[in-house]
Amino acid sequence: SAVISQKPSRDICQRGTSLTIQCQVDSQVTMMFWYRQQPGQSLTLIATANQGSEATYESGFVIDKFPISRPNLTFSTLTVSNMSPEDSSIYLCSVELQQETQYFGPGTRLLVL
Amino acid sequence: QQQVKQSPQSLIVQKGGISIINCAYENTAFDYFPWYQQFPGKGPALLIAIRPDVSEKKEGRFTISFNKSAKQFSLHIMDSQPGDSATYFCAAQAEYGGATNKLIFGTGTLLAVQP
């Protein structure tokens, strides 16, 4: 497995502001993923972030709202831009180690007022 | 076709009993089926996974049963313990054109094991 950390672990933000979430993994990985999990709900993939290429976004998610950086093989950031209360959620990053096996970080709990 | 249907939504089991959670899928391209366990305030943790070339996989008290023809798979937790109380997610994954591997998650099952 891998040790995955996320910062911040939680935050309370005002609407209209932006928050950047960091994901750090203790080994080099090619594929990193960002998910959203709304309270009591399942996980929804936001985008896939491969090092050296532009992130690939899922239907319903756009780069202007959720810009992603992937500067190296151990780090990625997700920014939630121009936040509204509907963005209140848990944001999770995951990495793929062995073929098709994904491991998740602890999540960032975001509350937008 | 991309959905994974999971049931039940919630489950209450007595300590020592068997917990059974079921999932079904439509997309025959799925070739990897993991189960994740999530405790409150934590990220999902990989519990056990199976590929379609076997019908059953067991790790300790956790067993996956896989029925390829019915496109169904299930998680069995034997001798359930209060510490197993968590939300369980099934998932399915297929390789798309050799590029992105996307995990499709079920809706989750909240398991409560009563002492």
Side-chain angles (χ1 to χ4, degrees), chain B residues 28-101:
Chain B
T28 55
F30 288 144
D31 60 1
Y32 177 68
F33 303 89
W35 284 88
Y36 285 86
Q37 179 188 57
Q38 186 177 30
F39 293 105
K42 305 292 185 182
L46 181 64
L47 191 62
I48 187 173
I50 197 168
R51 298 186 188 277
D53 53 345
V54 297
S55 61
E56 185 175 283
K57 183 174 182 180
K58 182 176 181 179
E59 291 184 1
R61 296 185 293 109
F62 300 92
T63 300
I64 300 178
S65 297
F66 185 82
N67 186 328
K68 188 174 182 178
S69 61
K71 292 183 284 187
Q72 296 176 347
F73 58 110
S74 61
L75 176 69
H76 295 233
I77 305 175
M78 312 300 287
D79 187 25
S80 299
Q81 299 296 313
D84 297 329
S85 298
T87 301
Y88 292 81
F89 293 96
C90 64
Q93 184 168 281
E95 184 175 333
Y96 292 87
T100 302
N101 296 328

Side-chain angles (χ1 to χ4, degrees), chain A residues 19-40:
Chain A
L19 176 71
T20 294
I21 302 168
Q22 301 178 5
C23 179
Q24 179 80 50
V25 61
D26 68 344
S27 58
Q28 294 185 335
V29 296
T30 300
M31 301 185 75
M32 296 181 77
F33 305 85
W34 287 98
Y35 289 82
R36 182 171 71 184
Q37 184 178 27
Q38 295 181 312

Side-chain angles (χ1 to χ4, degrees), chain A residues 37 42 58 99-100 102 109, chain B residues 31-32 36 41 51 102 106:
Chain A
Q37 184 178 27
S42 187
E58 296 300 302
Q99 185 180 7
E100 298 181 299
Q102 287 190 31
R109 283 143 188 84
Chain B
D31 60 1
Y32 177 68
Y36 285 86
R51 298 186 188 277
K102 299 169 55 172

